[in-house]
Amino acid sequence: MVTPKILYLKNDLLQGSRDLVFTVDHLICAGYAGRNRQAVQAHIDETTPLGIPSPARMPIFLNLSPYLMTMDHEIGVVGDQSSGEIEFVLLKQGEEVWVTVGSDHTDREQEGRSIPASKQMCAKCLAPTCWSFSDVQDHWDQLILRCRIKKEGGESLYQEGRVDMILSPEDLLDTLPKEIVTPKGGLALFSGTVPTKEGLIFADSYALELEDPVLKRKIRHDYQVKILPQYL
């Protein structure tokens, strides 16, 4: 049995905040989950030059180890060809759902051989703050995902798009196998990403942001990428 991962978050409410202790029994990463097929194809076109095959079905769901989840500000990788993907992240326990922002960091060199292995090799970064989904459900499609990167001292906007580019939380959860979405198990579901501005970049750091322009608030998180020497 895989040991669950316990997360200690701050749930920002419409008034005030409260601590949230969330146990991740299942970590699932969705892929190719765009509502617009053209946008999905744009992401496929980004990864095709890396030798990554087109998916047999859409969306796909990858079952990963809960221990990969981290709220640290630095992650270690084994090579110089990895990159982040900004995503909204659903945390579901029973009938309650919270939303935050994260990055499905991926080893792109390994991705050409095995997509599941490329995901399993890298940490899944998560912001330490979340919102109750019920607080944003009525204006969900207006939320914005934004990712800035730093590379060799330069900073740029890497990804930006409204969450309506991705399948809605309801559709993602309805598409998942029912044995995963159980009332007893805590589920962390990464949504799939939005296209990059100028193709994949293996950056030194990533700054993630989920903006709610209606309620005038944001969730932010940042992390650096450290390439680990493999032989000492």
Side-chain angles (χ1 to χ4, degrees):
M1 179 179 178
V2 176
T3 302
K5 181 69 176 280
I6 300 176
L7 304 175
Y8 299 91
L9 304 105
K10 184 72 70 174
N11 181 18
D12 277 355
L13 306 170
L14 297 180
Q15 293 185 345
S17 64
R18 67 183 179 192
D19 293 334
L20 173 65
V21 180
F22 187 87
T23 300
V24 181
D25 297 285
H26 304 285
L27 169 57
I28 306 296
C29 287
Y32 308 107
R35 296 190 206 179
N36 185 316
R37 292 296 183 183
Q38 290 182 336
V40 174
Q41 189 61 50
H43 182 56
I44 293 172
D45 292 343
E46 288 176 344
T47 57
T48 298
L50 299 175
I52 300 165
S54 299
R57 61 184 176 86
M58 294 185 283
I60 62 172
F61 294 103
L62 300 174
N63 187 24
L64 303 176
S65 300
Y67 69 73
L68 293 173
M69 299 199 68
T70 181
M71 294 184 286
D72 292 345
H73 292 283
E74 182 178 273
I75 65 170
V77 297
V78 299
D80 61 0
Q81 296 187 42
S82 71
S83 65
E85 292 186 348
I86 190 169
E87 311 193 0
F88 68 80
V89 183
L90 303 177
L91 303 174
K92 185 178 188 300
Q93 176 69 61
E95 298 303 316
E96 291 195 77
V97 179
W98 299 268
V99 62
T100 185
V101 68
S103 174
D104 174 15
H105 206 88
T106 302
D107 186 294
R108 301 300 177 183
E109 184 176 17
Q110 180 63 34
E111 195 172 22
R113 305 183 186 97
S114 168
I115 293 177
S118 72
K119 303 293 186 180
Q120 182 70 31
M121 285 178 65
C122 298
K124 305 305 165 204
C125 300
L126 192 76
T129 303
C130 64
W131 299 325
S132 297
F133 177 58
S134 58
D135 290 344
V136 296
Q137 187 172 11
D138 65 349
H139 58 280
W140 174 260
D141 282 355
Q142 298 184 56
L143 271 58
I144 301 167
L145 289 168
R146 187 176 295 114
C147 177
R148 296 185 179 276
I149 60 171
K150 290 183 179 179
K151 177 72 173 179
E152 298 175 348
E155 183 175 347
S156 62
L157 180 63
Y158 185 52
Q159 293 173 280
E160 184 177 50
R162 292 195 344 177
V163 297
D164 63 356
M165 300 177 73
I166 304 170
L167 291 175
S168 70
E170 295 93 341
D171 286 341
L172 285 170
L173 291 170
D174 285 345
T175 308
L176 270 175
K178 298 307 178 185
E179 61 268 21
I180 296 297
V181 191
T182 61
K184 294 181 180 180
L187 168 67
L189 175 60
F190 281 66
S191 66
T193 193
V194 296
T196 63
K197 294 292 185 180
E198 297 180 0
L200 293 175
I201 297 176
F202 308 134
D204 301 321
S205 67
Y206 296 80
L208 314 172
E209 182 176 279
L210 176 63
E211 179 184 359
D212 181 346
V214 175
L215 297 179
K216 309 297 184 184
R217 58 182 183 169
K218 298 177 181 179
I219 296 176
R220 294 188 176 99
H221 185 62
D222 62 83
Y223 69 96
Q224 295 182 325
V225 180
K226 179 179 181 181
I227 299 174
L228 301 173
Q230 294 304 289
Y231 298 97
L232 301 178

PDB file of all heavy atoms in Angstrom, residues 99-125:
ATOM      1  N   VAL A  99      -9.622  24.217  -4.574  1.00  0.00           N
ATOM      2  CA  VAL A  99      -8.824  24.443  -5.783  1.00  0.00           C
ATOM      3  C   VAL A  99      -7.599  25.273  -5.435  1.00  0.00           C
ATOM      4  O   VAL A  99      -7.649  26.173  -4.596  1.00  0.00           O
ATOM      5  CB  VAL A  99      -9.668  25.135  -6.881  1.00  0.00           C
ATOM      6  CG1 VAL A  99     -10.149  26.503  -6.426  1.00  0.00           C
ATOM      7  CG2 VAL A  99      -8.874  25.269  -8.172  1.00  0.00           C
ATOM      8  N   THR A 100      -6.492  24.953  -6.081  1.00  0.00           N
ATOM      9  CA  THR A 100      -5.261  25.716  -5.927  1.00  0.00           C
ATOM     10  C   THR A 100      -4.499  25.657  -7.250  1.00  0.00           C
ATOM     11  O   THR A 100      -5.060  25.263  -8.280  1.00  0.00           O
ATOM     12  CB  THR A 100      -4.428  25.183  -4.746  1.00  0.00           C
ATOM     13  OG1 THR A 100      -3.287  26.022  -4.554  1.00  0.00           O
ATOM     14  CG2 THR A 100      -3.997  23.747  -4.948  1.00  0.00           C
ATOM     15  N   VAL A 101      -3.242  26.064  -7.224  1.00  0.00           N
ATOM     16  CA  VAL A 101      -2.430  26.071  -8.445  1.00  0.00           C
ATOM     17  C   VAL A 101      -1.181  25.224  -8.221  1.00  0.00           C
ATOM     18  O   VAL A 101      -0.672  25.142  -7.096  1.00  0.00           O
ATOM     19  CB  VAL A 101      -2.056  27.516  -8.860  1.00  0.00           C
ATOM     20  CG1 VAL A 101      -1.096  28.154  -7.857  1.00  0.00           C
ATOM     21  CG2 VAL A 101      -1.473  27.549 -10.260  1.00  0.00           C
ATOM     22  N   GLY A 102      -0.721  24.582  -9.274  1.00  0.00           N
ATOM     23  CA  GLY A 102       0.458  23.733  -9.160  1.00  0.00           C
ATOM     24  C   GLY A 102       1.163  23.608 -10.494  1.00  0.00           C
ATOM     25  O   GLY A 102       0.773  24.219 -11.502  1.00  0.00           O
ATOM     26  N   SER A 103       2.217  22.804 -10.489  1.00  0.00           N
ATOM     27  CA  SER A 103       2.992  22.556 -11.700  1.00  0.00           C
ATOM     28  C   SER A 103       3.284  21.066 -11.809  1.00  0.00           C
ATOM     29  O   SER A 103       3.861  20.471 -10.905  1.00  0.00           O
ATOM     30  CB  SER A 103       4.303  23.346 -11.674  1.00  0.00           C
ATOM     31  OG  SER A 103       5.124  23.015 -12.780  1.00  0.00           O
ATOM     32  N   ASP A 104       2.894  20.493 -12.924  1.00  0.00           N
ATOM     33  CA  ASP A 104       3.197  19.098 -13.236  1.00  0.00           C
ATOM     34  C   ASP A 104       4.564  19.070 -13.919  1.00  0.00           C
ATOM     35  O   ASP A 104       4.659  18.961 -15.142  1.00  0.00           O
ATOM     36  CB  ASP A 104       2.090  18.534 -14.129  1.00  0.00           C
ATOM     37  CG  ASP A 104       2.405  17.130 -14.634  1.00  0.00           C
ATOM     38  OD1 ASP A 104       3.320  16.488 -14.074  1.00  0.00           O
ATOM     39  OD2 ASP A 104       1.751  16.684 -15.588  1.00  0.00           O
ATOM     40  N   HIS A 105       5.614  19.209 -13.119  1.00  0.00           N
ATOM     41  CA  HIS A 105       6.960  19.237 -13.680  1.00  0.00           C
ATOM     42  C   HIS A 105       7.263  17.882 -14.332  1.00  0.00           C
ATOM     43  O   HIS A 105       6.920  16.830 -13.781  1.00  0.00           O
ATOM     44  CB  HIS A 105       7.984  19.554 -12.597  1.00  0.00           C
ATOM     45  CG  HIS A 105       9.212  20.201 -13.134  1.00  0.00           C
ATOM     46  ND1 HIS A 105       9.337  21.572 -13.298  1.00  0.00           N
ATOM     47  CD2 HIS A 105      10.377  19.673 -13.588  1.00  0.00           C
ATOM     48  CE1 HIS A 105      10.517  21.848 -13.804  1.00  0.00           C
ATOM     49  NE2 HIS A 105      11.172  20.712 -13.998  1.00  0.00           N
ATOM     50  N   THR A 106       7.913  17.928 -15.488  1.00  0.00           N
ATOM     51  CA  THR A 106       8.052  16.732 -16.325  1.00  0.00           C
ATOM     52  C   THR A 106       9.450  16.647 -16.925  1.00  0.00           C
ATOM     53  O   THR A 106      10.005  17.653 -17.374  1.00  0.00           O
ATOM     54  CB  THR A 106       7.009  16.759 -17.469  1.00  0.00           C
ATOM     55  OG1 THR A 106       5.699  16.832 -16.908  1.00  0.00           O
ATOM     56  CG2 THR A 106       7.113  15.513 -18.329  1.00  0.00           C
ATOM     57  N   ASP A 107      10.009  15.445 -16.941  1.00  0.00           N
ATOM     58  CA  ASP A 107      11.285  15.197 -17.605  1.00  0.00           C
ATOM     59  C   ASP A 107      11.020  14.983 -19.096  1.00  0.00           C
ATOM     60  O   ASP A 107      10.478  13.950 -19.502  1.00  0.00           O
ATOM     61  CB  ASP A 107      11.970  13.969 -16.992  1.00  0.00           C
ATOM     62  CG  ASP A 107      13.368  13.744 -17.547  1.00  0.00           C
ATOM     63  OD1 ASP A 107      13.487  13.440 -18.746  1.00  0.00           O
ATOM     64  OD2 ASP A 107      14.333  13.868 -16.774  1.00  0.00           O
ATOM     65  N   ARG A 108      11.393  15.954 -19.917  1.00  0.00           N
ATOM     66  CA  ARG A 108      11.046  15.904 -21.338  1.00  0.00           C
ATOM     67  C   ARG A 108      11.872  14.877 -22.100  1.00  0.00           C
ATOM     68  O   ARG A 108      11.406  14.324 -23.099  1.00  0.00           O
ATOM     69  CB  ARG A 108      11.210  17.289 -21.962  1.00  0.00           C
ATOM     70  CG  ARG A 108      10.348  18.360 -21.320  1.00  0.00           C
ATOM     71  CD  ARG A 108       8.880  18.033 -21.418  1.00  0.00           C
ATOM     72  NE  ARG A 108       8.057  19.042 -20.743  1.00  0.00           N
ATOM     73  CZ  ARG A 108       6.737  18.974 -20.628  1.00  0.00           C
ATOM     74  NH1 ARG A 108       6.084  17.945 -21.122  1.00  0.00           N
ATOM     75  NH2 ARG A 108       6.073  19.920 -20.012  1.00  0.00           N
ATOM     76  N   GLU A 109      13.091  14.631 -21.661  1.00  0.00           N
ATOM     77  CA  GLU A 109      13.906  13.621 -22.330  1.00  0.00           C
ATOM     78  C   GLU A 109      13.296  12.241 -22.146  1.00  0.00           C
ATOM     79  O   GLU A 109      13.207  11.446 -23.085  1.00  0.00           O
ATOM     80  CB  GLU A 109      15.326  13.650 -21.777  1.00  0.00           C
ATOM     81  CG  GLU A 109      16.275  12.697 -22.495  1.00  0.00           C
ATOM     82  CD  GLU A 109      17.704  12.807 -21.990  1.00  0.00           C
ATOM     83  OE1 GLU A 109      17.911  13.357 -20.899  1.00  0.00           O
ATOM     84  OE2 GLU A 109      18.606  12.342 -22.695  1.00  0.00           O
ATOM     85  N   GLN A 110      12.808  11.952 -20.944  1.00  0.00           N
ATOM     86  CA  GLN A 110      12.187  10.659 -20.669  1.00  0.00           C
ATOM     87  C   GLN A 110      10.806  10.559 -21.297  1.00  0.00           C
ATOM     88  O   GLN A 110      10.338   9.469 -21.636  1.00  0.00           O
ATOM     89  CB  GLN A 110      12.080  10.450 -19.150  1.00  0.00           C
ATOM     90  CG  GLN A 110      11.453   9.136 -18.726  1.00  0.00           C
ATOM     91  CD  GLN A 110      12.262   7.931 -19.158  1.00  0.00           C
ATOM     92  OE1 GLN A 110      13.493   7.988 -19.202  1.00  0.00           O
ATOM     93  NE2 GLN A 110      11.617   6.835 -19.472  1.00  0.00           N
ATOM     94  N   GLU A 111      10.162  11.695 -21.505  1.00  0.00           N
ATOM     95  CA  GLU A 111       8.793  11.698 -22.025  1.00  0.00           C
ATOM     96  C   GLU A 111       8.693  11.046 -23.403  1.00  0.00           C
ATOM     97  O   GLU A 111       7.668  10.457 -23.748  1.00  0.00           O
ATOM     98  CB  GLU A 111       8.270  13.138 -22.082  1.00  0.00           C
ATOM     99  CG  GLU A 111       6.762  13.239 -22.253  1.00  0.00           C
ATOM    100  CD  GLU A 111       6.270  14.654 -22.112  1.00  0.00           C
ATOM    101  OE1 GLU A 111       7.066  15.597 -22.303  1.00  0.00           O
ATOM    102  OE2 GLU A 111       5.077  14.854 -21.818  1.00  0.00           O
ATOM    103  N   GLY A 112       9.772  11.144 -24.185  1.00  0.00           N
ATOM    104  CA  GLY A 112       9.769  10.505 -25.491  1.00  0.00           C
ATOM    105  C   GLY A 112       9.758   8.997 -25.412  1.00  0.00           C
ATOM    106  O   GLY A 112       9.381   8.320 -26.367  1.00  0.00           O
ATOM    107  N   ARG A 113      10.184   8.433 -24.275  1.00  0.00           N
ATOM    108  CA  ARG A 113      10.197   6.980 -24.082  1.00  0.00           C
ATOM    109  C   ARG A 113       8.941   6.504 -23.355  1.00  0.00           C
ATOM    110  O   ARG A 113       8.371   5.468 -23.699  1.00  0.00           O
ATOM    111  CB  ARG A 113      11.432   6.578 -23.280  1.00  0.00           C
ATOM    112  CG  ARG A 113      12.756   7.051 -23.873  1.00  0.00           C
ATOM    113  CD  ARG A 113      13.925   6.548 -23.037  1.00  0.00           C
ATOM    114  NE  ARG A 113      15.198   7.099 -23.499  1.00  0.00           N
ATOM    115  CZ  ARG A 113      15.794   8.158 -22.956  1.00  0.00           C
ATOM    116  NH1 ARG A 113      15.231   8.765 -21.910  1.00  0.00           N
ATOM    117  NH2 ARG A 113      16.944   8.595 -23.434  1.00  0.00           N
ATOM    118  N   SER A 114       8.539   7.262 -22.335  1.00  0.00           N
ATOM    119  CA  SER A 114       7.383   6.859 -21.531  1.00  0.00           C
ATOM    120  C   SER A 114       6.807   8.085 -20.839  1.00  0.00           C
ATOM    121  O   SER A 114       7.474   8.692 -19.991  1.00  0.00           O
ATOM    122  CB  SER A 114       7.786   5.810 -20.495  1.00  0.00           C
ATOM    123  OG  SER A 114       6.753   5.615 -19.548  1.00  0.00           O
ATOM    124  N   ILE A 115       5.589   8.447 -21.174  1.00  0.00           N
ATOM    125  CA  ILE A 115       4.949   9.592 -20.528  1.00  0.00           C
ATOM    126  C   ILE A 115       4.755   9.342 -19.031  1.00  0.00           C
ATOM    127  O   ILE A 115       5.091  10.197 -18.207  1.00  0.00           O
ATOM    128  CB  ILE A 115       3.622   9.943 -21.219  1.00  0.00           C
ATOM    129  CG1 ILE A 115       3.898  10.466 -22.637  1.00  0.00           C
ATOM    130  CG2 ILE A 115       2.849  10.987 -20.417  1.00  0.00           C
ATOM    131  CD1 ILE A 115       2.662  10.776 -23.438  1.00  0.00           C
ATOM    132  N   PRO A 116       4.229   8.177 -18.607  1.00  0.00           N
ATOM    133  CA  PRO A 116       4.095   7.944 -17.154  1.00  0.00           C
ATOM    134  C   PRO A 116       5.420   8.051 -16.410  1.00  0.00           C
ATOM    135  O   PRO A 116       5.486   8.633 -15.323  1.00  0.00           O
ATOM    136  CB  PRO A 116       3.513   6.532 -17.078  1.00  0.00           C
ATOM    137  CG  PRO A 116       2.797   6.340 -18.375  1.00  0.00           C
ATOM    138  CD  PRO A 116       3.636   7.068 -19.384  1.00  0.00           C
ATOM    139  N   ALA A 117       6.500   7.503 -16.986  1.00  0.00           N
ATOM    140  CA  ALA A 117       7.801   7.572 -16.314  1.00  0.00           C
ATOM    141  C   ALA A 117       8.288   9.007 -16.213  1.00  0.00           C
ATOM    142  O   ALA A 117       8.872   9.411 -15.195  1.00  0.00           O
ATOM    143  CB  ALA A 117       8.819   6.717 -17.062  1.00  0.00           C
ATOM    144  N   SER A 118       8.063   9.812 -17.239  1.00  0.00           N
ATOM    145  CA  SER A 118       8.517  11.202 -17.226  1.00  0.00           C
ATOM    146  C   SER A 118       7.818  12.011 -16.155  1.00  0.00           C
ATOM    147  O   SER A 118       8.393  12.949 -15.584  1.00  0.00           O
ATOM    148  CB  SER A 118       8.285  11.843 -18.594  1.00  0.00           C
ATOM    149  OG  SER A 118       6.904  12.079 -18.830  1.00  0.00           O
ATOM    150  N   LYS A 119       6.566  11.666 -15.861  1.00  0.00           N
ATOM    151  CA  LYS A 119       5.819  12.350 -14.805  1.00  0.00           C
ATOM    152  C   LYS A 119       6.261  11.864 -13.430  1.00  0.00           C
ATOM    153  O   LYS A 119       6.391  12.650 -12.487  1.00  0.00           O
ATOM    154  CB  LYS A 119       4.319  12.106 -14.983  1.00  0.00           C
ATOM    155  CG  LYS A 119       3.751  12.520 -16.332  1.00  0.00           C
ATOM    156  CD  LYS A 119       3.784  14.015 -16.528  1.00  0.00           C
ATOM    157  CE  LYS A 119       3.076  14.427 -17.808  1.00  0.00           C
ATOM    158  NZ  LYS A 119       3.101  15.892 -18.018  1.00  0.00           N
ATOM    159  N   GLN A 120       6.478  10.559 -13.314  1.00  0.00           N
ATOM    160  CA  GLN A 120       6.852   9.968 -12.031  1.00  0.00           C
ATOM    161  C   GLN A 120       8.250  10.421 -11.586  1.00  0.00           C
ATOM    162  O   GLN A 120       8.556  10.418 -10.402  1.00  0.00           O
ATOM    163  CB  GLN A 120       6.805   8.445 -12.133  1.00  0.00           C
ATOM    164  CG  GLN A 120       7.123   7.683 -10.863  1.00  0.00           C
ATOM    165  CD  GLN A 120       6.047   7.816  -9.788  1.00  0.00           C
ATOM    166  OE1 GLN A 120       4.873   7.967 -10.087  1.00  0.00           O
ATOM    167  NE2 GLN A 120       6.460   7.773  -8.539  1.00  0.00           N
ATOM    168  N   MET A 121       9.083  10.863 -12.513  1.00  0.00           N
ATOM    169  CA  MET A 121      10.449  11.247 -12.194  1.00  0.00           C
ATOM    170  C   MET A 121      10.554  12.608 -11.513  1.00  0.00           C
ATOM    171  O   MET A 121      11.592  12.922 -10.919  1.00  0.00           O
ATOM    172  CB  MET A 121      11.303  11.278 -13.470  1.00  0.00           C
ATOM    173  CG  MET A 121      11.677   9.913 -14.001  1.00  0.00           C
ATOM    174  SD  MET A 121      12.623  10.024 -15.540  1.00  0.00           S
ATOM    175  CE  MET A 121      14.114  10.844 -14.974  1.00  0.00           C
ATOM    176  N   CYS A 122       9.509  13.429 -11.594  1.00  0.00           N
ATOM    177  CA  CYS A 122       9.613  14.818 -11.124  1.00  0.00           C
ATOM    178  C   CYS A 122       8.557  15.125 -10.064  1.00  0.00           C
ATOM    179  O   CYS A 122       7.447  14.587 -10.087  1.00  0.00           O
ATOM    180  CB  CYS A 122       9.434  15.786 -12.286  1.00  0.00           C
ATOM    181  SG  CYS A 122      10.695  15.638 -13.565  1.00  0.00           S
ATOM    182  N   ALA A 123       8.924  16.036  -9.175  1.00  0.00           N
ATOM    183  CA  ALA A 123       7.997  16.492  -8.137  1.00  0.00           C
ATOM    184  C   ALA A 123       6.808  17.211  -8.767  1.00  0.00           C
ATOM    185  O   ALA A 123       6.901  17.788  -9.854  1.00  0.00           O
ATOM    186  CB  ALA A 123       8.721  17.419  -7.171  1.00  0.00           C
ATOM    187  N   LYS A 124       5.695  17.164  -8.059  1.00  0.00           N
ATOM    188  CA  LYS A 124       4.495  17.896  -8.452  1.00  0.00           C
ATOM    189  C   LYS A 124       4.317  19.054  -7.461  1.00  0.00           C
ATOM    190  O   LYS A 124       4.000  18.839  -6.299  1.00  0.00           O
ATOM    191  CB  LYS A 124       3.258  16.984  -8.440  1.00  0.00           C
ATOM    192  CG  LYS A 124       3.426  15.736  -9.307  1.00  0.00           C
ATOM    193  CD  LYS A 124       3.798  16.055 -10.729  1.00  0.00           C
ATOM    194  CE  LYS A 124       4.314  14.848 -11.491  1.00  0.00           C
ATOM    195  NZ  LYS A 124       5.166  15.214 -12.630  1.00  0.00           N
ATOM    196  N   CYS A 125       4.574  20.251  -7.950  1.00  0.00           N
ATOM    197  CA  CYS A 125       4.634  21.422  -7.075  1.00  0.00           C
ATOM    198  C   CYS A 125       3.237  21.982  -6.825  1.00  0.00           C
ATOM    199  O   CYS A 125       2.407  22.044  -7.734  1.00  0.00           O
ATOM    200  CB  CYS A 125       5.532  22.477  -7.698  1.00  0.00           C
ATOM    201  SG  CYS A 125       7.224  21.891  -7.955  1.00  0.00           S
TER     202      CYS A 125
END
